Amino acid sequence: GPCISMQGYENVSVGPMTSSNQSFWEIMGHQIQALDSAKFAAIVGIGPNFAFGNTEETLLMSFGVTEFSVCLQRAPGAPGYLTWGPTPELTSKPRFFAKAAVKGKHHWATSMHNVTFMPMAEAPLETVPCTGTGCSVIIDSGTSLIAAPGLALMQLSKQIEPIM
């Protein structure tokens, strides 16, 4: 929904990382129903570069963070972890982490090839998404929305249980 925001500057600290006079946008008014009962105080973008049309450094740029990882555990209500910076030993990275080349200029876009879904016993797959030349994907751990071709979404919805 629409919102009205105003740019401001503040000193920001996350653990040992600090940024003086960090640019941010504060929402002054909005028509976004979900924000009325939200249980968070900030939305922190962690894009790889300057936002479109913006010359202010992002928080990651100010902190000097060039890589991060997200770990979401499977169990309902289990904690998730956002790790900023290269903390694992270089020798363990290939074993425990997947690497994707960033193709986007303003967001974490990359490409995928040969993505398929496991066929269900009662519903064999007639076609599979993202074969041949591949497809573009945006890695966004902060949203619950999935955008894809209709056929791929229908196939995916057969693979996962509804979230209640």
Side-chain angles (χ1 to χ4, degrees), residues 18-158:
T18 61
S19 174
S20 300
N21 210 29
Q22 177 65 47
S23 170
F24 71 96
W25 291 89
E26 181 175 0
I27 295 176
M28 307 304 289
H30 65 83
Q31 294 178 11
I32 306 171
Q33 189 175 7
L35 292 182
D36 292 333
S37 59
K39 295 181 180 179
F40 55 82
I43 300 170
V44 179
I46 52 176
N49 207 333
F50 293 104
F52 183 75
N54 187 16
T55 58
E56 300 282 352
E57 285 192 348
T58 66
L59 188 59
L60 286 186
M61 293 167 77
S62 296
F63 285 165
V65 173
T66 58
E67 60 184 80
F68 66 90
S69 62
V70 177
C71 178
L72 304 175
Q73 299 183 66
R74 293 179 185 262
Y81 301 94
L82 171 63
T83 304
W84 289 3
T87 57
E89 296 292 327
L90 291 177
T91 56
S92 70
K93 281 188 179 185
R95 183 173 170 206
F96 297 110
F97 295 86
K99 185 176 182 178
V102 175
K103 309 250 186 234
K105 293 182 180 178
H106 304 291
H107 52 278
W108 298 105
T110 191
S111 57
M112 294 178 74
H113 300 276
N114 301 320
V115 175
T116 61
F117 298 124
M118 298 294 294
M120 304 293 282
E122 67 276 3
L125 297 177
E126 295 176 13
T127 60
V128 293
C130 201
T131 59
T133 60
C135 55
S136 295
V137 296
I138 297 175
I139 302 167
D140 186 355
S141 61
T143 186
S144 59
L145 302 176
I146 298 176
L151 178 60
L153 288 176
M154 289 178 5
Q155 291 173 335
L156 179 61
S157 69
K158 292 178 183 177

